[in-house]
Amino acid sequence: NAGVTQTPKFQVLKTGQSMTLQCAQDMNHEYMSWYRQDPGMGLRLIHYSVGAGITDQGEVPNGYNVSRSTTEDFPLRLLSAAPSQTSVYFCASNPQRSGSSEQFFGPGTRLTVL
Amino acid sequence: GNSVTQMEGPVTLSEEAFLTINCTYTATGYPSLFWYVQYPGEGLQLLLKATKADDKGSNKGFEATYRKETTSFHLEKGSVQVSDSAVYFCALSDANTNAGKSTFGDGTTLTVKP
């Protein structure tokens, strides 16, 4: 199993550009999430999905869209990039609804918006 | 809402020193508690977890005990190694909600010197 994979690893955008961060998992996990990691602020939840066709907002959803057309894929779209979206983005999945299950994280995408 | 407060870093120790990283939490109900570790350039991975009061999670020489009376989940290791240098995150999930909605602390950077 490859686990959770993310592409690209690094990206530089100009203000106003759009792009999609890709995330895929091959563990047949129902639940997937996107977090952003900023210095001194831990991880903050952007959007999450409890299954194909179902998504919901997390703590910091503004400026981001998601969709979940398959169990495996959960892309994150930046509609019009802003410097405040400079961050490291992590995708995660977990196998069950219970809050006791661990999350499996991808390696991250480091995004810089100029 | 839920929150996690971690000991501020960075923490620098000599090899074989004793490690404690403090973590306290605020949550309704009975959350599950986790420690994740992030090595340089990688995503987070589960280090240990505890799902109910007085449970002790352990892995790779690290331990943490779920203390409901003090709402704490402090991470300890008796003798650290250079390879333990990483960022450590304390996290919680409500038992009755999706683990993908975890709340994370800000992270504590540990550097171990030979």
Side-chain angles (χ1 to χ4, degrees), chain B residues 13-19 77-82 84 112-114:
Chain B
L13 296 173
S14 297
E15 206 164 23
E16 298 184 2
F18 184 84
L19 169 70
K77 187 175 186 182
S79 176
V80 293
Q81 306 299 313
V82 172
D84 294 327
V112 181
K113 296 189 173 180

Side-chain angles (χ1 to χ4, degrees), chain A residues 31-33 35 37-38 40-45 48-50 57 88 90 94 96-108, chain B residues 31-34 36 38 41-46 49 51 87 89 92-107:
Chain A
Y31 303 95
M32 298 185 73
S33 311
Y35 293 88
Q37 182 183 29
D38 301 295
M41 300 185 75
L43 274 72
R44 292 182 291 169
L45 182 65
Y48 66 98
S49 169
V50 300
Q57 297 181 350
V88 181
F90 288 101
N94 53 288
Q96 62 193 60
R97 186 184 187 277
S98 167
S100 65
S101 73
E102 69 173 284
Q103 290 187 273
F104 295 79
F105 285 83
Chain B
S32 293
L33 302 174
F34 305 82
Y36 287 88
Q38 182 182 31
E42 298 183 10
L44 282 71
Q45 56 186 277
L46 180 70
K49 72 177 187 182
T51 58
V87 182
F89 291 91
L92 69 81
S93 292
D94 280 335
N96 295 319
T97 61
N98 175 15
K101 295 184 69 177
S102 300
T103 300
F104 287 82
D106 291 345

Side-chain angles (χ1 to χ4, degrees), chain B residues 1 4 7 19-20 23 28 36 40 44 48 51 55-56 60 64 69 76-77 79 83-84 88-89 93 102 110:
Chain B
V4 174
M7 165 181 173
L19 169 70
T20 299
C23 172
T28 55
Y36 287 88
L44 282 71
L48 53 84
T51 58
D55 267 2
K56 177 186 284 188
K60 299 181 182 179
E69 64 275 13
E76 297 183 335
K77 187 175 186 182
S79 176
S83 57
D84 294 327
Y88 292 82
F89 291 91
S93 292
S102 300
L110 170 67

Side-chain angles (χ1 to χ4, degrees), chain A:
Chain A
N1 284 353
V4 180
T5 58
Q6 291 183 239
T7 56
K9 288 189 182 300
F10 301 94
Q11 183 71 48
V12 179
L13 293 178
K14 295 181 179 178
T15 297
Q17 287 185 315
S18 63
M19 78 160 295
T20 299
L21 308 185
Q22 301 292 343
C23 173
Q25 53 93 9
D26 61 359
M27 298 173 283
N28 203 31
H29 288 173
E30 285 187 76
Y31 303 95
M32 298 185 73
S33 311
W34 274 103
Y35 293 88
R36 59 178 289 172
Q37 182 183 29
D38 301 295
M41 300 185 75
L43 274 72
R44 292 182 291 169
L45 182 65
I46 304 171
H47 285 285
Y48 66 98
S49 169
V50 300
I54 307 170
T55 64
D56 206 346
Q57 297 181 350
E59 181 185 355
V60 289
N62 292 341
Y64 307 95
N65 274 358
V66 292
S67 60
R68 184 97 180 272
S69 56
T70 67
T71 300
E72 294 77 20
D73 300 301
F74 191 42
L76 178 73
R77 280 183 288 278
L78 280 70
L79 307 173
S80 177
S84 61
Q85 293 178 304
T86 294
S87 188
V88 181
Y89 291 85
F90 288 101
C91 180
S93 71
N94 53 288
Q96 62 193 60
R97 186 184 187 277
S98 167
S100 65
S101 73
E102 69 173 284
Q103 290 187 273
F104 295 79
F105 285 83
T109 294
R110 184 174 295 274
L111 175 67
T112 302
V113 182
L114 303 175

